């Protein structure tokens, strides 16, 4: 940390003051180490929250002072972890819109490597604040000493990896201090976000499973409830819909067995109808031309079809053509003398302004209170912050924006989740632009990417699986050729890929053939039967798509009595053979009935007919798959006999 004290002194000399450890319950212990400057009334408390069963620690810092005037903070890390080993291999999760969470592994050399974000609202768009450090050798699933960590903060972050002159690795994580110096008044507490981390000697598979168990219990909302299968209309209709079209889609979705209809962008805007992305954002009244019966019509239609209703909102944003902007031009983030910088034709509202916070709360509460039939909310955020100036903050506190915006955002999330405990919330930022546990603690699930092309999605899902559990990731089947990649893949491949997470669909069901629709209905029914294993089971990544032309994973129930195995042929290369895939996460002493689910009628199974196989054989000899064509895929259900 770095601070300039009230009298201008730029040094801080922290000394041990006290420590205390107390159990919060039978699983969690909170430890505090109190430090105080040798001269000034300047205090730093370091906190460690240890989750015994999950082998997870959260670490953060609280800074406070009782000097005569404000102290300015210039750096405020949450944690510094120091590791000693021969080499250090860092895995980061990087990409961009439509291409999120790619694994990149490198050996760290002398100097400092910084992984950071300055995008604020879409902080995780280019890189996630999660990382793996493997000691002495590249990371492997089942062996090796590894640290996995994720910063829980929906704002600018900084992860600094510094190899010291002695060859140690120092990892300093926290909010990105760039441009964010903060005037800390006496008597106030400056809390940094927690770094959530896990460390072990058994490889990254273990780290992921620890994170998943922790997340289901503490990191996401209601991680003990499987949730609903969703039909979303975004790729199906875009902005082009009306009541009749939606009612038709709703009926088809319900008949296919889906449990929730999520109405996406485009339902609002009275004076400035939201018929495209250039107008209406900020005006959260129904577009009466498209929906003359209002939301209540949709609620009734949903009830008639026996399906739940969900709604899309993006309440932090505004299009200049909107009544909101006409009334409150001073509510947007902008810099004096600079033209507005539009991204997707929109501006960001200034969440540091209490009037803006109140407005957003009123909008969300209004929608949910007036329409108790809305059971699901997709909270989107489609632009990053540029020209980050606040018309609310005083000139000397402009740099506070980067800290106060995420704080205000989390406070809004918290208020909404508390006042609407039964509404399921999806976290979205044009895909994975806001994928981190600071936000996720208020959400049930997240949208990992706008790219629903099943082939690329498998890579994105693979990356997400390192830190985020299957129960939180929304994985939808969409149409072909894919709107962004132009790629066509069989419906079965698309379904199998989507069944490895929280299944949903976004394509015109009326465009499916009779056989495809039959397959769809059966696949949805099968998914509902199997989803508890996928949602609550342990994940074992078996074959990485980064290493082979195929990939495979397995979810196993914790008592090892059931498991769901997935395998996908990503690219067909003639002459390439497929070695048997050795299973993990099942009991070698048990016997399993292994049968294929999601089989296309009249197709030849790559596995064959169902058979009884010993756990010992599945673990040591593995499963042989007779894949023939690109995009062949298989889902196997294992049941202990
Ligand atoms: C971006 C989201 O990721 C999409 O799913 C969709 O909701 C659009 N925004 C709507 O504008």
């Amino acid at each position: 940390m770095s601070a300039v004290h009230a009298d201008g002194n730029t040094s801080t000399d922290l000394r041990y003051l006290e420590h205390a450890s107390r159990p919060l319950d039978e699983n969690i212990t909170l430890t505090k180490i109190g430090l105080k400057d040798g001269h000034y009334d300047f205090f730093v408390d370091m906190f460690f929250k240890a989750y015994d069963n999950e082998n997870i620690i959260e670490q953060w810092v609280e800074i406070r002072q009782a000097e005569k005037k404000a102290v300015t903070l210039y750096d405020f890390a949450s944690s510094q972890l120091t590791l000693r080993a021969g080499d250090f291999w860092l895995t980061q999760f990087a990409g961009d819109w439509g291409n999120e969470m790619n694994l990149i592994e490198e050996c760290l050399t002398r100097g400092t490597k910084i992984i950071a974000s300055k995008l604020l609202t879409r902080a995780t768009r280019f890189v996630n604040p999660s990382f793996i450090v493997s000691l002495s050798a590249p990371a492997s699933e089942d062996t090796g000493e590894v640290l996995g960590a994720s910063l829980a903060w929906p704002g600018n972050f900084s992860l600094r990896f510094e190899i010291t002159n002695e060859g140690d690795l120092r990892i300093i994580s926290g909010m990105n201090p760039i441009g964010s110096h903060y005037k800390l008044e006496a008597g106030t507490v400056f809390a940094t976000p927690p770094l959530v981390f896990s460390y072990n000697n058994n490889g990254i598979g273990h780290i992921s499973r620890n994170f998943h168990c922790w997340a289901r219990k503490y990191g996401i909302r209601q991680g003990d409830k499987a949730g609903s299968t969703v039909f979303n209309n975004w790729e199906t209709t875009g902005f082009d819909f009306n009541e009749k079209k939606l009612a038709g889609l709703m009926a088809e979705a319900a008949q296919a067995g889906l449990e929730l209809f999520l109405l996406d962008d485009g339902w609002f805007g009275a004076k400035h109808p939201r018929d495209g992305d250039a107008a209406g954002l900020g005006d959260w009244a129904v577009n009466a031309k498209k929906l003359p019966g209002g939301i209540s019509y949709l609620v009734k239609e949903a009830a008639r079809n026996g399906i739940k209703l969900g709604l899309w909102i993006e309440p932090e944003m505004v299009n200049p053509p909107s009544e909101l902007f006409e009334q409150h031009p001073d509510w947007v983030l902008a810099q004096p003398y600079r033209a507005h910088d539009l991204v997707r034709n929109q501006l960001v509202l200034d969440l540091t302004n209490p009037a803006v916070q109140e407005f957003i709360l009123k909008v969300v509460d209004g929608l949910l209170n007036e329409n108790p039939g809305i059971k699901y909310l997709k909270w989107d955020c489609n632009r990053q912050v540029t020209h980050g100036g606040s018309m609310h903050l005083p000139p000397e506190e402009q740099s506070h924006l980067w800290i106060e915006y995420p704080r205000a955002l989390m406070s809004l999330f918290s208020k909404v989740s508390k006042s609407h405990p039964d509404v399921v919330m999806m976290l979205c930022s044009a895909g994975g632009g806001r994928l981190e546990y600071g936000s996720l603690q208020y959400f049930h699930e997240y949208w990992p990417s706008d790219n629903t092309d099943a082939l690329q999605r498998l890579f994105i899902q693979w990356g997400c699986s390192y830190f985020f559990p299957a129960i939180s990731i929304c994985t939808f089947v969409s149409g072909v050729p894919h709107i962004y990649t132009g790629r066509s893949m069989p419906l079965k491949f698309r379904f199998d890929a989507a069944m490895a997470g929280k299944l949903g669909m976004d394509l015109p069901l009326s465009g499916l053939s009779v056989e495809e629709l039959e397959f769809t209905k059966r696949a949805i029914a099968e998914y509902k039967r199997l989803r508890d294993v996928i949602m609550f089971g342990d994940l074992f990544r078996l074959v990485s798509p980064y290493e082979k032309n195929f990939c495979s994973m397995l979810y196993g129930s914790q008592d090892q009595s059931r498991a769901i195995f997935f395998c996908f042929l990503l690219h067909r290369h003639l002459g390439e053979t497929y070695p048997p895939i050795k299973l993990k996460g099942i009991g070698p002493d048990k016997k399993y009935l292994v049968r294929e689910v999601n089989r296309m009628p009249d197709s030849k199974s790559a596995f064959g007919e169902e058979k009884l196989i010993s756990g010992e054989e599945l673990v040591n000899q593995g499963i042989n798959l007779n894949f023939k064509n690109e995009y062949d895929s298989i889902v196997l259900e294992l049941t202990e006999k």
Side-chain angles (χ1 to χ4, degrees), residues 262-315:
L262 168 58
L263 173 57
D264 216 284
D265 197 352
W267 56 268
F268 49 90
K271 181 170 165 201
H272 301 276
R274 179 82 170 163
D275 292 329
D277 61 22
L281 205 53
D283 298 350
W284 298 103
V286 161
N287 174 344
K289 241 184 167 175
K290 282 181 178 168
L291 302 173
I295 302 278
S296 58
Y297 167 83
L298 298 174
V299 170
K300 273 188 222 129
E301 265 314 285
R304 209 168 59 80
N305 284 291
I307 196 168
K308 287 176 264 179
L309 183 69
L311 206 60
W312 177 97
I313 50 165
E314 193 183 2

Side-chain angles (χ1 to χ4, degrees), residues 444-485:
H444 299 72
E445 52 200 52
Y446 68 92
W447 185 235
S449 180
D450 277 352
N451 188 348
T452 49
D453 167 298
L455 175 69
Q456 204 172 347
R457 251 307 178 97
L458 281 170
F459 284 85
I460 296 169
Q461 289 171 207
W462 191 268
C464 290
S465 79
Y466 279 74
F467 289 93
F468 306 100
I471 194 168
S472 61
I473 185 170
C474 296
T475 46
F476 290 2
V477 177
S478 61
V480 286
H482 191 266
I483 45 164
Y484 298 128
T485 65

Side-chain angles (χ1 to χ4, degrees), residues 177-359:
I178 288 186
S180 305
H181 53 277
Y182 195 95
K183 249 176 65 198
L184 183 66
E185 300 294 342
T188 48
V189 175
F190 183 95
T192 68
L195 181 76
V196 187
F197 65 91
S198 185
Y199 189 91
N200 73 42
N201 212 346
N202 309 311
I204 27 177
H206 247 82
I207 297 273
S208 296
R209 288 186 288 281
N210 285 343
F211 262 89
H212 297 171
C213 286
W214 171 84
R216 282 193 297 261
K217 218 163 160 198
Y218 306 103
I220 62 168
R221 280 176 67 197
Q222 296 182 319
D224 57 344
K225 296 212 168 50
S228 305
T229 49
V230 170
F231 183 91
N232 184 205
N233 72 312
W234 176 242
E235 287 184 29
T236 307
T237 66
F239 294 99
D240 180 19
F241 56 80
N242 55 32
E243 258 178 20
K244 200 166 153 231
K245 212 186 227 181
L246 294 182
L249 293 174
M250 223 182 255
E252 284 165 10
Q255 279 154 25
L258 295 166
E259 296 154 305
L260 189 137
F261 182 87
L262 168 58
L263 173 57
D264 216 284
D265 197 352
W267 56 268
F268 49 90
K271 181 170 165 201
H272 301 276
R274 179 82 170 163
D275 292 329
D277 61 22
L281 205 53
D283 298 350
W284 298 103
V286 161
N287 174 344
K289 241 184 167 175
K290 282 181 178 168
L291 302 173
I295 302 278
S296 58
Y297 167 83
L298 298 174
V299 170
K300 273 188 222 129
E301 265 314 285
R304 209 168 59 80
N305 284 291
I307 196 168
K308 287 176 264 179
L309 183 69
L311 206 60
W312 177 97
I313 50 165
E314 193 183 2
E316 296 156 72
M317 303 285 164
V318 64
N319 285 130
S322 66
E323 292 180 70
L324 181 68
F325 187 72
E326 283 160 10
Q327 287 155 16
H328 300 287
D330 55 330
W331 276 11
V332 299
L333 294 179
Q335 294 284 18
Y337 317 118
R338 316 283 174 218
H340 281 143
D341 181 37
L342 295 171
V343 176
R344 206 195 189 209
N345 303 306
Q346 66 197 54
L347 296 167
V348 185
L349 293 177
D350 181 1
L351 246 56
T352 68
N353 185 340
V356 172
Q357 296 170 22
E358 209 178 298
F359 164 78

Side-chain angles (χ1 to χ4, degrees), residues 21 66 81 385:
S21 231
L81 302 173
V385 169

